[in-house]
Amino acid sequence: MRRREFMQRTTAAAGAVAAARVLPAHAQAHKDTLLTLSESGPNTLDIMGLGVNRPGYEASWNTFDRLLTYGSKKDADGSDYYDHSKLEPELAESWDVGDMSITFKLRKDAKFHDGTPVTAKDVKWSFDRAVAVGGAATFQLAAGSLQKPEQFVIVDDNTFRIDLLRKDKFTLPDLAVPTPAIFNSGLAKKHATDQDPWALDWLKNNEAGSGAYRVEKYTPGQELIYRRFDDWKSGPLPKIERVIWRVVPSAGNRRALLERGDADISFDLPPKDVAEMTADKKLTVASNLIEACMVYLDMNVKMAPFDKVKVRQAVAYAIPYQKIMDAVMFGRGKPLFGGPAEVTSIEWPQPSPYNTDLTKAKQLLAEAGVPDGFETTLSFDLGYAVVQEPLCELVQESLAQIGIKATLNKVPGANWRTEFSKKTLPFLTNVFGAWLILPDYFFYWNYHGQNSIFNDMSYQNPVMDKLIDTARFEPDPAKYNEEVERFITLAFDDVPRIPIYQPSLDVAMQKYVTGYRYWFHRQLDYRQLVKT
């Protein structure tokens, strides 16, 4: 690292520590206020906004309600865990599933944060918005066959109906993920324009929800402060009255603040720190292997030389997988390499058949017509640099041994989703975790030719599309398994994406913080947290 870059990072980190110590946890009303730290923050408060990042899920999850939510269960260790098999009421106190429609009865006492009653017109406006704005929001609802405004019907003020285009196993589960949040339509419309009919600009930095918390202050890139909404009716009133979420990019500073008792909770800490804190036992460290999730390298198949299968296979054989697991992950996470040559399971994710073999990689490059290698750019999200930067440096070093010169492109976290969604990055590392855990849902988002934001490989294969589409609606379990095994095999053969490992979500917190619940969206839910 250059001295100037080191000094810039040190200065920025020192400033972050000073900011984070303005209101140390022990100086606040102990049981009432939670101070949480993370490496990066939300780039928008609007879950339907184009390019919303993962911290944006947390901002929306705590400030907006949805019609439904998921129940909870205990995992094997007795920790609190969401239950994907159990749907529970949120804004909808009940629902009735008909042959080709679902009717929801809304809570009559639910209010938005400005005191306005929540009605079916707000629900319809929100669903209409989701299918109209494009990007991830529109694709997410389409995953549950929610695609047309005419599907969403106001029956009366407190009754809302969805007319089904087709019977889809993902329709109801899709209503409990972060995206279909219910907006205060009257408030949003005041800030809409002819050029921006869905108030995307205003809702980026302003919230219009009815959730358990309302936004008190939002400073993008620095801090988000929430205040409990005491009129919340969609669940038990949270114990924590105020949440201060501060962005502290330096992992070392986040750890120091926790260990000094100046902060209550933090996540996205380096695996080495997590291992040490777990062994030290001064803090509570919750670790959960993230379902249907992988860290991977993607190659854009529309850009030479990654348009050649053998080039992509060569790169897959040149990745220093075990070095990444040892030197970056410190043994944490599940390896997704060195699997069997033949796919015989629908488990997902599962290890690919690739392992580090530089001789084979060089041979494949020669067969592809690029025996001397080539130059490319390897991009990563600077908002998660604590893991992704050393990972990319190891990949860069290993690729150089087969003649591939990869220049690292460090994209600021607030811009990452926007940049990779353009599909102009030739080579990148990223992480994707599917909110619904079936493999056909994962593949619909990542490998289908409809080309969602997360298909940053620009991979389009009619054979793959047909297998995914058939599996999504396949009633026969045996045929479903066969179709899934075939599309996993195809993904490994064509290898537009190189799986590296399945990550764990590690959350470190003070011993006096209880009630933490693991959620599929990999962010904090403040509603269950308690400080004793």
Side-chain angles (χ1 to χ4, degrees), residues 54-297:
R54 180 160 68 90
Y57 306 163
E58 181 175 323
S60 175
W61 187 256
N62 289 282
T63 55
F64 284 82
D65 284 330
R66 289 138 200 90
L67 290 174
L68 308 179
T69 190
Y70 287 100
S72 64
K73 61 183 179 181
K74 298 294 183 182
D75 66 10
D77 298 325
S79 301
D80 207 18
Y81 203 95
Y82 89 100
D83 187 347
H84 65 80
S85 69
K86 187 192 302 181
L87 288 169
E88 294 186 348
E90 198 159 273
L91 271 177
E93 61 183 8
S94 66
W95 59 96
D96 178 58
V97 180
D99 184 48
M100 288 301 292
S101 68
I102 310 171
T103 303
F104 301 86
K105 288 292 184 181
L106 307 181
R107 299 180 186 276
K108 293 183 179 180
D109 55 356
K111 296 178 181 178
F112 288 108
H113 295 155
D114 65 357
T116 305
V118 180
T119 69
K121 73 174 178 14
D122 300 296
V123 180
K124 176 170 171 55
W125 186 87
S126 301
F127 276 78
D128 287 355
R129 183 179 195 259
V131 301
V133 293
T138 301
F139 201 86
Q140 178 63 53
L141 266 70
S145 295
L146 304 171
Q147 297 171 276
K148 299 179 179 181
E150 52 266 33
Q151 288 181 259
F152 313 127
V153 181
I154 300 170
V155 178
D156 57 44
D157 280 353
N158 297 106
T159 310
F160 173 72
R161 190 180 75 239
I162 294 177
D163 292 335
L164 305 178
L165 297 177
R166 60 190 71 88
K167 293 182 179 180
D168 189 329
K169 64 189 174 188
F170 293 130
T171 300
L172 275 171
D174 208 21
L175 301 179
V177 302
T179 305
I182 308 306
F183 289 76
N184 183 335
S185 62
L187 179 59
K189 286 176 182 178
K190 291 178 182 178
H191 300 277
T193 65
D194 291 341
Q195 293 73 37
D196 183 16
W198 300 109
L200 286 162
D201 287 343
W202 186 77
L203 287 166
K204 182 175 183 178
N205 295 310
N206 298 274
E207 61 97 350
S210 61
Y213 288 88
R214 58 182 176 82
V215 172
E216 185 175 278
K217 180 185 177 184
Y218 175 45
T219 307
Q222 298 180 32
E223 182 180 71
L224 182 53
I225 301 176
Y226 304 88
R227 177 74 65 177
R228 187 178 67 193
F229 180 47
D230 289 342
D231 281 337
W232 189 56
K233 305 299 182 183
S234 295
L237 198 65
K239 300 295 185 184
I240 302 292
E241 292 183 11
R242 195 164 182 254
V243 179
I244 301 171
W245 176 7
R246 290 221 173 94
V247 177
V248 180
S250 165
N253 290 336
R254 294 199 306 280
R255 178 176 177 177
L257 288 163
L258 271 176
E259 293 181 332
R260 283 203 304 264
D262 288 344
D264 295 312
I265 188 167
S266 181
F267 60 106
D268 289 330
L269 289 163
K272 181 176 183 292
D273 287 356
V274 173
E276 291 172 352
M277 288 188 294
T278 301
D280 190 51
K281 297 183 179 180
K282 291 181 180 178
L283 298 164
T284 298
V285 181
S287 295
N288 297 94
L289 196 65
I290 304 171
E291 300 167 308
C293 183
M294 67 168 64
V295 172
Y296 54 81
L297 288 158

